[in-house]
Amino acid sequence: MQTRQLSSHLGVEVSGVDVRQLDDTTTAELYGIFVRAGVLCIREQRLTPEEFLGFARRLGTPIVQIYSQFNLPDFPEIGLLTSEDSDSSGSGKRKIRGTSWHTDASYYERPPKVTILNAQQVPAVGGDTQFASTSAAFAALDGVDQTRLKDLKAVHNYQSSRSPRQLIARSDAQVERFPEGTLHPLVRRNPDSGSAALYLNPIRIENVDGLPRAESDALLDRLLAHCLAPAFTYRHHWSAGDLLLWDNRSILHQANDDYDWRLEKRRLMRIMLEGEVPQPA
């Protein structure tokens, strides 16, 4: 196994491993690297759906993904992210997913702890995914800010009125399963690493509980701008076969739709692992 740091605050690349043949020791070593790095990329893993699901199960419990229209047939735990996704209205209009900063499904009472992607087909240029470490960003705040933020909670909805993009409409059953107004700490503790991280989600957080709206908006805007400073970010250029994991408890991400989808295709399989109820730091 060879490792290489991807940026100063987050991300490690691993090569020389075949995840189809992992033993318990190597699995634990990989997970330890992931916990420390926040983002882990294992190169040259061209997996079948069965192999992808088998790898994910070594790290946790895959969840059934809520957008069933994008799930792989016969594999409800595996979603597809493709350049040819369309909306659910029947219009055939192209649906571009993930193109603003967020962490996955923070409106769940138990948001997924890890998201895993396996790149099957990617454009030569563009289509990158960007990441930001909210744990490194929190550590860089002064002590007064840290102490104040640890006492705050935020309201997470399926779609915040602050969201920069329109999200996919949910079915009545999906709304009933995940009601609005989930309350999570603004700074959460990662039970794997023990570290504290800002728990932000620009598409989900409606407001900071107990603050006047203007003060809440100003605080959330300031914290997001802080998290997106170049020192805390990494931009991943995909290669086919990349197996990439990130920690939703301490990482923000966004996809980039900056390639010609009429000429080049992008197709990735996605699995999310069951998480825990967020606890304050």
Side-chain angles (χ1 to χ4, degrees):
M1 183 189 302
Q2 296 85 44
T3 62
R4 181 176 70 90
Q5 191 76 21
L6 292 172
S7 73
S8 60
H9 279 95
L10 73 156
V12 167
E13 172 192 282
V14 168
S15 56
V17 171
D18 184 345
V19 301
R20 298 169 298 180
Q21 301 177 12
L22 292 178
D23 57 25
D24 291 346
T25 299
T26 308
T27 299
E29 185 177 357
L30 284 173
Y31 193 74
I33 294 170
F34 163 74
V35 167
R36 294 187 294 274
V39 174
L40 173 64
C41 178
I42 309 173
R43 301 288 191 183
E44 299 180 357
Q45 308 297 312
R46 296 178 180 268
L47 305 178
T48 66
E50 293 90 347
E51 291 166 344
F52 186 37
L53 194 55
F55 168 74
R57 284 175 173 155
R58 295 192 69 92
L59 304 180
T61 302
I63 63 176
V64 173
Q65 302 200 38
I66 192 170
Y67 301 130
S68 58
Q69 67 269 37
F70 298 115
N71 289 352
L72 198 62
D74 303 322
F75 296 93
E77 305 94 341
I78 301 179
L80 290 177
L81 299 170
T82 82
S83 52
E84 299 172 319
D85 290 343
S86 60
D87 66 23
S88 56
S89 67
S91 68
K93 183 179 179 182
R94 184 167 175 255
K95 181 65 181 177
I96 308 164
R97 294 190 282 155
T99 53
S100 61
W101 289 100
H102 64 290
T103 183
D104 287 332
S106 67
Y107 65 101
Y108 287 17
E109 182 181 5
R110 297 167 61 94
K113 66 176 183 177
V114 180
T115 297
I116 313 172
L117 299 182
N118 187 219
Q120 298 180 307
Q121 188 175 5
V122 294
V125 177
D128 298 348
T129 302
Q130 292 172 268
F131 299 95
S133 172
T134 62
S135 57
F138 178 75
L141 292 171
D142 65 42
V144 174
D145 246 354
Q146 290 184 353
T147 299
R148 179 198 177 205
L149 295 173
K150 285 182 178 181
D151 291 332
L152 298 177
K153 294 185 177 182
V155 177
H156 293 245
N157 292 335
Y158 173 72
Q159 177 170 311
S160 166
S161 62
R162 295 169 43 83
S163 176
R165 60 184 167 96
Q166 182 68 34
L167 303 184
I168 298 169
R170 295 185 295 169
S171 68
D172 291 342
Q174 290 168 341
V175 172
E176 183 177 354
R177 181 183 172 195
F178 298 108
E180 301 284 60
T182 305
L183 201 62
H184 291 315
L186 192 58
V187 181
R188 68 178 293 185
R189 178 183 178 274
N190 188 318
D192 286 331
S193 66
S195 63
L198 293 166
Y199 194 50
L200 298 176
N201 195 342
I203 67 173
R204 309 286 193 196
I205 288 185
E206 185 62 35
N207 61 283
V208 177
D209 190 46
L211 294 186
R213 186 57 188 248
E215 184 180 348
S216 169
D217 285 347
L219 176 61
L220 293 173
D221 290 344
R222 176 172 71 86
L223 293 177
L224 179 61
H226 173 67
C227 290
L228 301 184
F232 309 134
T233 61
Y234 162 67
R235 186 179 185 116
H236 185 74
H237 178 64
W238 291 93
S239 296
D242 281 357
L243 181 62
L244 192 140
L245 304 76
W246 67 84
D247 194 325
N248 282 300
R249 300 165 296 190
S250 58
I251 297 290
L252 291 171
H253 67 283
Q254 73 167 359
N256 288 271
D257 187 51
D258 55 355
Y259 61 98
D260 191 338
W261 59 272
R262 292 161 297 191
L263 299 177
E264 294 191 279
K265 302 304 180 186
R266 187 177 188 268
R267 180 184 174 92
L268 304 98
M269 295 190 292
R270 180 179 72 175
I271 290 176
M272 294 188 289
L273 300 183
E274 183 179 281
E276 57 283 320
V277 175
Q279 297 298 313

